Amino acid sequence: MSRSMIKLGAFLPAPGHHISAWRHPNAYPAGVLDFHYYSSIVKTAERGKFDMIFLSDGVGVRTHYKDSDELSRWGRMVHFEPLTLLSALSVVTERIGLTATCSTTYNEPFHVARKFASLDFLSNGRSGWNVVTSTTDVEAQNFNLDKQPDHETRYLRAREFMEVATGLWDSWEDDAFLFDKESGRFFDPEKLHILNHKKEFFSVRGPLNVARPPQGYPVIVQAGSSADGQDFAAQWAEVIFTAHKNLEQAKAFYRGIKEQVVKYGRSPDQVKVMPGIFPVVGRTRDEAEQKYETLQNLIDPVVGLGLLSTQLGNIDISKYPVDGPLPELPETQGSTSRQKLLYEEAKTKGLTIRELYRSIAGPRGHRMILGTPQEIADQLEEWYVSEAADGFNIMPPQLPDGLTDFVELVVPELQRRGLFRTEYEGQTLRDHLGLERPSFRARSGSK
């Protein structure tokens, strides 16, 4: 399997990944609603030659809370709708990929296909879609439901959703539009294809009223690690965002998902595995440790418990002793892979509930690397050369400082080792990631 260089995504929730980031002395909490703030941090990532930025999203306030006092302590209650934000960012950036989360459970395929096709044109081929099925009842309650559909149903819907979305992107052949003033022909009708999709979840005639995107399809990103999630990723994903804390687990996942990809008739080279990394960078190790302790000392215990409850699938654990062990928990219809990961960590390390919420306050179950630029580059290189990852989704502890530290200290070290680009080689996100452009494919219902 050929591999070029490490791929890097910048996962950018304002004001950073640590749950206390908004309380940091250098933080700008109001940045969650300030376009100029987002513009500045995305330009920092582009200056660092990152492949893409990554914006997560949910269609509801997903925090597990019991009362208004607890709710008021959280720093991420509001944020921009990501496709709107990325459309604006597309005109102030030139090369960096623009990836956003969008749910298949609480959207319709026509809407999603149309928005991402539009973003791909606005950005000249830099769009990416992080496909999620959503995980909380509070989102369902904004869409005429009391509870979210069960895990299996959400993934069945997601698979059909992808059939429809990709079919709509293939409504028009690449050269369908003639714009010929002399002949009076705006497009070639032979190159228009009507989808006529009718199955269990969707009835969609088509065609899409946006031309075929510059990339063919936006880059498809997926982050589920459950059995259903992995199988879905093997069929559809081109970038897989995953969470692993040790090398052996990461290598096993990497091997397994590449094998599953082959079963769907796809090339392993066309799927990039990018685990999340929470880097705390210091010019010295002492400086890095001090940066981390500054954030850890700002953790509100009420928020810490709320975070852990959310990560465990919205199970209320406030009734258990905070300095006691995590009890055995029932499986939820939320993020089953994340619940399992956290429960195993608590059991293996003998962590109390307090110790567990403090351990995830920054990385949220992902791998934390703390140290000098050389130490961080050492560990990224080890995972890359060991085929545990094709790249990494970088999760800055606090913004803007955490991203600036990585760009100015770690990126040059990776470049010095020949592991990361010094300039962008292409224009599109597919160019950056080394992904093929999907060829036009007429669907069976087309006519």
Side-chain angles (χ1 to χ4, degrees):
M1 181 174 64
S2 62
R3 302 172 84 212
S4 53
M5 291 188 179
I6 287 175
K7 311 302 178 186
L8 289 179
F11 191 171
L12 301 178
H17 276 273
H18 197 284
I19 199 169
S20 301
W22 73 277
R23 301 180 68 191
H24 190 279
N26 296 342
Y28 175 41
V32 295
L33 297 174
D34 185 336
F35 172 72
H36 297 291
Y37 168 80
Y38 268 103
S39 175
S40 69
I41 59 176
V42 173
K43 287 178 180 178
T44 297
E46 189 168 57
R47 175 164 58 87
K49 312 303 179 187
F50 273 64
D51 294 78
M52 63 183 175
I53 64 164
F54 179 94
L55 299 180
S56 63
D57 190 41
V59 284
V61 176
R62 294 181 290 178
T63 304
H64 181 85
Y65 59 90
K66 301 184 295 301
D67 53 47
S68 59
D69 178 63
E70 179 177 333
L71 183 61
S72 71
R73 298 168 186 259
W74 282 79
R76 294 190 194 170
M77 307 314 295
V78 294
H79 54 81
F80 287 119
E81 190 284 315
L83 280 167
T84 306
L85 176 58
L86 291 185
S87 295
L89 289 169
S90 72
V91 299
V92 297
T93 57
E94 295 181 355
R95 295 294 187 88
I96 195 164
L98 304 170
T99 300
T101 296
C102 193
S103 173
T104 58
T105 303
Y106 304 116
N107 283 291
E108 290 293 317
F110 194 95
H111 284 135
V112 172
R114 188 184 189 208
K115 289 175 181 178
F116 276 103
S118 298
L119 176 60
D120 210 48
F121 274 102
L122 290 169
S123 64
N124 294 315
R126 294 185 284 134
S127 72
W129 171 20
N130 178 42
V131 183
V132 300
T133 63
S134 297
T135 60
T136 65
D137 292 340
V138 294
E139 292 172 277
Q141 290 157 12
N142 291 329
F143 294 89
N144 306 307
L145 298 169
D146 293 324
K147 289 186 174 295
Q148 64 181 325
D150 62 51
H151 185 87
E152 181 181 5
T153 300
R154 295 201 311 275
Y155 270 99
L156 287 172
R157 177 186 166 99
R159 290 178 191 277
E160 189 177 335
F161 197 111
M162 295 304 298
E163 288 181 39
V164 179
T166 55
L168 288 170
W169 289 323
D170 282 333
S171 295
W172 307 89
E173 294 183 36
D174 289 316
D175 57 351
F177 289 91
L178 304 172
F179 307 121
D180 190 335
K181 294 180 181 180
E182 192 169 318
S183 70
R185 299 183 79 204
F186 196 81
F187 69 93
D188 182 344
E190 293 299 315
K191 296 183 178 182
L192 165 63
H193 300 267
I194 309 299
L195 182 61
N196 284 326
H197 177 97
K198 269 189 187 297
K199 288 189 179 179
E200 180 180 0
F201 293 95
F202 303 108
S203 176
V204 181
R205 179 181 182 272
L208 193 66
N209 56 350
V210 182
R212 194 161 194 262
Q215 294 188 106
Y217 308 158
V219 171
I220 303 300
V221 183
Q222 201 266 351
S225 293
S226 66
D228 282 336
Q230 290 186 48
D231 189 66
F232 181 89
Q235 182 178 5
W236 293 105
E238 296 169 294
V239 174
I240 299 175
F241 179 33
T242 185
H244 296 291
K245 288 200 167 187
N246 67 64
L247 180 61
E248 291 310 311
Q249 286 180 347
K251 287 170 65 176
F253 178 87
Y254 186 95
R255 288 193 302 269
I257 202 71
K258 299 278 184 171
E259 290 170 0
Q260 290 183 66
V261 164
V262 173
K263 293 178 182 178
Y264 277 101
R266 303 175 62 203
S267 167
D269 293 342
Q270 294 302 302
V271 178
K272 309 301 178 183
V273 178
M274 298 176 64
I277 297 292
F278 178 84
V280 185
V281 188
R283 288 175 174 80
T284 66
R285 190 168 185 84
D286 284 345
E287 182 185 334
E289 289 173 351
Q290 288 169 14
K291 287 180 178 181
Y292 183 58
E293 280 307 304
T294 295
L295 288 166
Q296 289 292 89
N297 290 337
L298 294 172
I299 297 173
D300 186 321
V302 172
V303 176
L305 277 174
L307 171 66
L308 184 56
S309 294
T310 301
Q311 294 279 301
L312 290 170
N314 295 298
I315 295 174
D316 184 5
I317 58 170
S318 62
K319 59 187 175 181
Y320 300 104
V322 71
D323 291 312
L326 186 69
E328 193 163 339
L329 302 172
E331 186 172 299
T332 73
Q333 290 299 325
S335 179
T336 56
S337 58
R338 185 58 53 84
Q339 182 193 44
K340 180 180 178 182
L341 186 151
L342 293 177
Y343 187 78
E344 287 179 350
E345 180 179 1
K347 188 174 180 181
T348 301
K349 296 182 179 179
L351 300 180
T352 65
I353 288 174
R354 187 193 307 276
E355 289 168 338
L356 185 58
Y357 79 60
R358 285 180 63 83
S359 77
I360 67 168
R364 317 292 175 94
H366 293 272
R367 186 179 182 219
M368 181 174 84
I369 306 178
L370 181 151
T372 65
Q374 294 75 22
E375 289 173 323
I376 290 173
D378 285 345
Q379 295 193 51
L380 298 184
E381 181 175 8
E382 180 185 22
W383 278 41
Y384 178 69
V385 300
S386 299
E387 295 194 352
D390 295 305
F392 305 93
N393 214 5
I394 302 303
M395 305 165 62
Q398 175 262 327
L399 292 169
D401 300 353
L403 180 62
T404 301
D405 288 343
F406 194 92
V407 166
E408 295 184 353
L409 300 174
V410 180
V411 166
E413 180 62 22
L414 293 173
Q415 291 170 332
R416 186 185 67 78
R417 301 180 188 201
L419 292 169
F420 190 63
R421 68 169 64 86
T422 55
E423 294 295 339
Y424 289 109
E425 300 86 5
Q427 174 64 43
T428 72
L429 179 53
R430 291 186 176 277
D431 290 338
H432 304 340
L433 295 170
L435 297 172
E436 294 176 359
R437 183 181 187 271
S439 300
F440 171 83
R441 182 167 68 91
R443 301 306 196 265
S444 58
S446 300
K447 64 179 183 180

